[in-house]
């Protein structure tokens, strides 16, 4: 039996057979708003605690959400309803990815694409392709990730969202950096930064609200960290200020993003031979990761572990590498 899923003020109660939102066989905007609100509450749990704290609740409610599509829906409600149902699948896919259930994640993303396309929401389609790309990138398939990010870029352009363009181009930069393509990575990163600046005042959908100035700074730092590891250590000089700026912008509501950013910072400090600082940050990262229900943390810690293990003459660095190797994330009830 799964444990209750908490959120700051109350609890999202899970039922073996969730009741449909619409009770009279008709779907109205109130029903759509209820799905959107439910997804938003789960997304906040994901940001703060990891996918293990919201996966079960999201998956349990999906049948009731999809059932709404089979009821009487007015023409002006169909689009928003498709977006709401698709985004709940989008969140379920992300939570599955975060907890290590890759095949299930891709199934949810596939359904999300179908339902978002039914509703004609190209901006949400862009976000789903971005998330599918992140799955590929996390599992060391940067070329497949690039293909998804490019599909996301096309959908963002068709949907007229400059912010979605920024998201997809920043992630293309990461994939290019993973491939060691310095020129392309930096060019894409510059375009993403220009896009973000040009998106000021654009309405921000719930699924893209994570991509703030802090997140763009984190992505900038991650791209330069990748390039410092694979191309030229001097990229540390650009990575560190961006990572510090991201940390200054992340609050406790973005604990997982903060953990990932600290991992990159400690890695850069090791590359720059600031071993004492890196070890201190590394210990901070491990403490933070122990409180996250996220399987991704273990994989994202590997570059830091590898850099620490290379410092064979430093006992503290070796000890950090051992502690990272021994770390096992508590994914929680899924």
């Amino acid at each position: 039996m799964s444990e209750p899923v908490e959120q700051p003020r109350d609890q999202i109660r899970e039922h073996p057979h969730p009741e449909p939102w619409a009770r009279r066989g008709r779907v109205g905007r109130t029903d759509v708003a209820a799905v959107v609100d439910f997804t938003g509450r789960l997304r906040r749990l994901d940001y703060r605690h990891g996918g293990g704290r919201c996966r079960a609740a999201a998956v349990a409610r999906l049948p009731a959400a999809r059932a709404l599509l089979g009821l009487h829906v007015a023409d002006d409600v169909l689009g928003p309803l498709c977006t709401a149902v698709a985004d709940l699948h989008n969140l379920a896919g992300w939570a599955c990815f975060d907890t290590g259930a890759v095949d299930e994640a891709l199934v949810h993303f596939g359904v999300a694409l179908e339902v978002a396309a039914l509703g004609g929401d190209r901006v949400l389609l862009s976000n789903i392709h971005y998330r599918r790309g992140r799955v590929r990138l996390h599992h060391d398939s940067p070329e497949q990730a690039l293909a998804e990010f490019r599909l996301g870029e096309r959908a963002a352009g068709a949907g007229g969202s400059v912010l979605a363009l920024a998201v997809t181009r920043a992630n293309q930069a990461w994939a290019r950096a993973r491939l060691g393509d310095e020129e392309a990575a930096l060019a894409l990163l510059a375009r993403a930064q220009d896009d973000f600046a040009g998106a000021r005042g654009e309405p921000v959908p719930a699924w893209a609200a994570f991509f703030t100035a802090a997140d763009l700074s984190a992505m900038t730092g991650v791209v330069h960290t990748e390039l410092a590891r694979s191309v030229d250590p001097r990229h540390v000089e650009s990575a560190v200020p961006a990572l510090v700026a991201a940390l200054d912008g992340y609050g406790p509501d973005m604990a997982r993003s903060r953990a990932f950013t600290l991992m990159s910072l400690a890695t850069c400090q090791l590359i720059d031979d600031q071993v004492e600082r890196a070890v201190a940050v590394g210990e901070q990262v491990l403490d933070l990761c122990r409180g996250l229900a996220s399987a991704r943390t273990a994989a994202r810690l590997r570059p830091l572990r590898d850099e620490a293990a290379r410092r064979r003459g430093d006992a503290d660095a070796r000890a950090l590498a051992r502690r990272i190797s021994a770390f096992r994330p508590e994914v929680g009830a899924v």
Side-chain angles (χ1 to χ4, degrees):
M1 180 179 295
S2 60
E3 66 183 22
V5 182
E6 297 178 357
Q7 68 119 11
R9 292 189 179 181
D10 57 5
Q11 293 182 332
I12 298 169
R13 301 188 182 278
E14 299 175 42
H15 302 281
H17 305 287
E19 295 182 7
W21 278 284
R23 295 175 178 274
R24 295 177 300 280
R26 299 175 62 89
V27 181
R29 291 192 175 274
T30 300
D31 303 300
V32 174
V35 179
V36 171
D37 177 69
F38 180 77
T39 304
R41 286 186 284 152
L42 292 188
R43 184 167 272 128
R44 289 192 291 275
L45 285 172
D46 174 63
Y47 291 151
R48 183 184 285 265
H49 301 294
R53 292 294 296 279
C54 68
R55 176 180 162 189
V59 171
R61 283 296 182 94
L62 283 170
R66 288 196 304 271
L68 295 176
L69 297 170
L71 300 178
H72 182 273
V73 185
D75 290 344
D76 64 336
V77 176
L78 180 60
L81 175 62
C82 287
T83 292
V85 174
D87 192 35
L88 183 54
H89 268 288
N90 191 29
L91 173 65
W94 190 252
C96 288
F97 164 48
D98 198 45
T99 52
V102 176
D103 291 342
E104 187 176 347
L106 293 175
V107 169
H108 285 301
F109 288 137
V111 175
L113 285 174
E114 292 176 6
V115 179
L118 178 65
D121 195 326
R122 295 182 181 275
V123 180
L124 179 53
L125 285 170
S126 175
N127 187 265
I128 300 163
H129 280 298
Y130 143 71
R131 293 178 191 276
R132 282 163 54 111
R134 286 292 292 268
V135 174
R136 301 305 186 187
L137 188 61
H138 183 78
H139 290 280
D140 298 320
S141 299
E143 292 286 5
Q144 292 182 354
L146 276 170
E148 290 287 353
F149 295 148
R150 289 192 195 105
L151 288 171
E153 181 180 13
R154 291 194 203 109
S161 174
V162 182
L163 182 64
L165 284 173
V167 172
T168 56
R169 286 170 179 164
N171 280 273
Q172 286 181 64
W174 187 358
R176 286 294 183 188
R178 182 73 64 83
L179 290 167
D181 190 345
E182 180 182 29
E183 182 177 357
L186 295 179
L188 283 160
L189 185 60
R191 291 186 73 186
Q193 291 166 340
D194 288 343
D195 291 333
F196 185 81
R200 190 173 291 111
E202 178 182 311
V204 180
W207 56 81
F210 74 93
F211 200 74
T212 61
D215 209 74
L216 179 59
S217 292
M219 287 295 298
T220 300
V222 165
V223 169
H224 282 287
T225 301
E226 290 279 4
L227 293 173
R229 296 183 65 233
S230 62
V231 177
D232 187 339
R234 287 179 293 182
H235 278 280
V236 164
E237 297 174 8
S238 298
V240 170
L243 294 168
V244 170
L247 290 168
D248 287 343
Y250 284 140
D253 57 322
M254 299 295 287
R256 185 179 53 205
S257 294
R258 185 174 181 81
F260 290 157
T261 304
L262 285 167
M263 292 173 197
S264 293
L265 178 60
T267 301
C268 285
Q269 289 168 333
L270 283 173
I271 293 171
D272 201 34
D273 290 324
Q274 300 180 44
V275 179
E276 185 175 352
R277 287 186 178 182
V279 169
V281 174
E283 294 294 347
Q284 183 182 352
V285 167
L286 282 171
D287 286 342
L288 189 52
C289 288
R290 290 186 187 102
L292 292 170
S294 170
R296 280 194 293 156
T297 52
R300 291 285 293 269
L301 279 164
R302 287 172 194 156
L304 175 57
R305 178 201 63 192
D306 293 346
E307 290 295 335
R310 290 191 183 100
R311 275 68 186 173
R312 295 176 182 173
D314 191 289
D316 291 336
R318 292 198 311 272
L320 175 62
R322 287 194 300 271
R323 284 192 285 275
I324 292 174
S325 295
F327 171 71
R328 299 291 182 273
E330 292 287 341
V331 174
V334 296

